[in-house]
Structure formats: C-alpha cells, structure tokens
Amino acid sequence: MQLQFSSEGPVLIVAVAGRMDALTVKEFETAAAEVEARAPERLVVDFTGLQYISSAGLRRILTLAKDCQAAGRTLGFCALSPAVSDVFRISGLNSVLRIFPDRASALAGL
C-alpha cells in the first residue's frame, strides 16, 4: 500500500493506493498517527488508487472515524472503486461514513 499526504487549504488529504489488508493495515495505522499529530480540522481519505480492502482495513477505517469524531474532526472518503464501494455497501459503512464521488466533491462537502 502507498500513502501520500497533501493539503488543500485547511483540509488534509491522505491518498491511499494498492491493497489495504491484514498485511498492509499497519501502514494505514502509521498514517493515522501522523494525521493525529498534524491535528487537521478536516480530513479527506482519497481511495482513487485503492484496489482492495479487507475486513482488517474496514476495522481500521472505523477506528479512524471514531478517533476523528472524538477529536472534533470532519472526515470524508472519496473516489471508491466499484469493488471497494461494494465492500463499504455490504458492510454498511456507506450509511455511517461521509462518502463522496471524487476529491473535488469531498473538498466542497467538508
């Protein structure tokens, strides 16, 4: 999995590419710790390059969402591929997380 940080105004963006599974979820945990250190008010996780997410990845996404909520941060996810979107839908995460079709929509919606 590859992670890339960028900012657009007050929004921190974490672009995730590759696979998020039991073998790579630690990298996302490290990224979440870096997000915590930067303490942004708004965060967008861009899944444009994410090809696959497992239940371990979903658990980490939920943890990030809870941490952001506890810290008063606004969190959004964008650009889910059809396969990743199906996993979010089947797991019910699409009804509890803010999901946008693309980065521009996420930035405008947060």
Side-chain angles (χ1 to χ4, degrees):
M1 176 173 37
Q2 298 84 38
L3 300 163
Q4 182 178 4
F5 290 89
S6 62
S7 295
E8 288 202 29
V11 182
L12 178 62
I13 301 163
V14 180
V16 182
R19 297 173 56 90
M20 188 185 299
D21 55 27
L23 298 175
T24 61
V25 77
K26 276 289 196 195
E27 295 171 50
F28 193 78
E29 288 177 12
T30 301
E34 187 169 335
V35 165
E36 193 67 33
R38 292 182 185 204
E41 290 182 26
R42 293 182 270 172
L43 173 65
V44 170
V45 179
D46 185 339
F47 283 152
T48 299
L50 187 67
Q51 301 161 348
Y52 173 82
I53 189 165
S54 72
S55 59
L58 292 177
R59 280 191 302 276
R60 190 59 189 108
I61 293 296
L62 281 174
T63 301
L64 175 64
K66 289 178 184 178
D67 291 348
C68 284
Q69 184 177 21
R73 291 187 184 99
T74 304
L75 172 65
F77 298 86
C78 69
L80 281 66
S81 70
V84 173
S85 182
D86 283 347
V87 172
F88 271 59
R89 184 183 49 76
I90 290 166
S91 68
L93 287 181
N94 65 329
S95 63
V96 296
L97 299 175
R98 295 180 75 178
I99 300 173
F100 300 90
D102 52 44
R103 185 182 286 194
S105 299
L107 291 170
L110 294 182

